[in-house]
Amino acid sequence: MSAISRRHLVTMAAGIAAAAIAPRAVFAQAPAAAPAAAPTAAGPFVLPPLTYAFNALEPHIDAKTMEIHHDRHHAAYVANLNNVAKTNPQLGSSKITDVLGNLNALNDDIKFAVRNNLGGHANHTMFWEIMAPNGGKPEGEVLAAIDKDLGGLEKFQNDFNAAGGRQFGSGWVFVTVTKEGKLAIETRPNQDNPIMDGKRALMGNDVWEHAYYLNYQNRRADYLKAWWNTVNWTKIAERYAAAKAGTLGV
């Protein structure tokens, strides 16, 4: 081997050794950016983007669960609705509350699909809206209604969690609200929504396993307790005012 080749190899080896012992730069993980709406089938129904990052609700709800829940599960409901709307364009031009409030007016060949997918779209649109990091605490009229109708905040949270825990299989636990501002805890199976019964949901929690399984596995009770740390009471106060004004949508 020539001297030049030997010198070249020695230089390379020295460089590799230096790189190996040099201190490594450590980069802090930046918060995930607020996600844009995931693409869905073209049509009148749109997946609403989150207003916070996927990891914003950690450690109570992990980023991967939020990403899958929003970008896959909710997006699937929207895509399915847009496929139905291709041959039933009236769906896209009608208010969601009008369709869900009168499912029996639909043709039998689409009723089941609309019930599940439009219900899922309405439920999740509400769900993302009523959660946020640092969501505060109930105040004013909302707190007064909780005290009056649900026995105070602690009893309300315990009863709400118990109802969510009793819901067999998949479904939701809701707080419904009347135009007079009266509150009640109710559950619904699958993707059913109180609108289907002529009511409105002030707030609700998703107890489908896809909402919590990555972190909590079969411990739904732990998820229900932790979820209160994500509740956006400012938004719930806005929804309560809209309910009393008769303008609350989904």
Side-chain angles (χ1 to χ4, degrees):
M1 181 180 292
S2 69
I4 295 176
S5 298
R6 286 196 298 272
R7 285 197 300 271
H8 183 65
L9 288 174
V10 170
T11 301
M12 289 179 59
I16 293 171
I21 64 174
R24 296 181 180 179
V26 178
F27 299 94
Q29 183 178 3
T40 55
F45 296 96
V46 177
L47 177 66
L50 296 181
T51 59
Y52 42 83
F54 289 131
N55 64 357
L57 305 182
E58 290 184 340
H60 316 294
I61 305 178
D62 63 283
K64 180 55 68 174
T65 292
M66 289 295 294
E67 179 183 357
I68 294 171
H69 199 170
H70 179 269
D71 283 9
R72 301 186 199 178
H73 289 282
H74 191 175
Y77 300 132
V78 174
N80 291 339
L81 286 170
N82 285 330
N83 284 331
V84 175
K86 290 177 182 177
T87 52
N88 297 271
Q90 74 279 7
L91 289 177
S93 59
S94 302
K95 291 183 178 179
I96 293 176
T97 51
D98 290 344
V99 176
L100 289 180
N102 195 20
L103 287 171
N104 287 332
L106 298 175
N107 292 334
D108 289 341
D109 60 334
I110 66 169
K111 188 183 300 180
F112 184 75
V114 172
R115 181 181 194 128
N116 288 339
N117 291 287
L118 192 58
H121 180 41
N123 287 341
H124 286 87
T125 297
M126 176 274 302
F127 189 56
W128 312 130
E129 181 180 275
I130 62 147
M131 294 192 296
N134 305 314
K137 58 184 180 180
E139 298 176 339
E141 288 192 335
V142 171
L143 181 58
I146 290 172
D147 289 341
K148 178 177 180 292
D149 299 327
L150 303 176
L153 183 61
E154 183 177 0
K155 184 178 187 304
F156 158 49
Q157 290 177 322
N158 289 336
D159 291 348
F160 186 92
N161 291 350
R166 288 192 302 269
Q167 175 58 39
F168 183 76
S170 301
W172 290 74
V173 53
F174 293 102
V175 175
T176 58
V177 57
T178 67
K179 192 172 181 180
E180 293 72 37
K182 184 174 177 58
L183 306 181
I185 297 172
E186 303 184 19
T187 58
R188 296 290 186 282
N190 302 315
Q191 292 297 348
D192 282 6
N193 182 285
I195 295 170
M196 298 173 185
D197 305 318
K199 300 178 180 180
R200 288 290 187 275
L202 174 67
M203 58 184 289
N205 193 2
D206 188 347
V207 295
W208 283 64
E209 285 188 342
H210 64 233
Y212 61 87
Y213 203 82
L214 293 183
N215 259 14
Y216 297 93
Q217 289 82 52
N218 64 324
R219 294 176 288 110
R220 183 190 288 183
D222 291 346
Y223 160 71
L224 285 162
K225 291 178 183 177
W227 178 78
W228 290 102
N229 294 288
T230 74
V231 173
N232 183 352
W233 288 105
T234 298
K235 180 56 67 173
I236 290 171
E238 293 175 7
R239 291 178 62 86
Y240 186 77
K244 294 184 70 175
T247 59
L248 181 61
V250 299

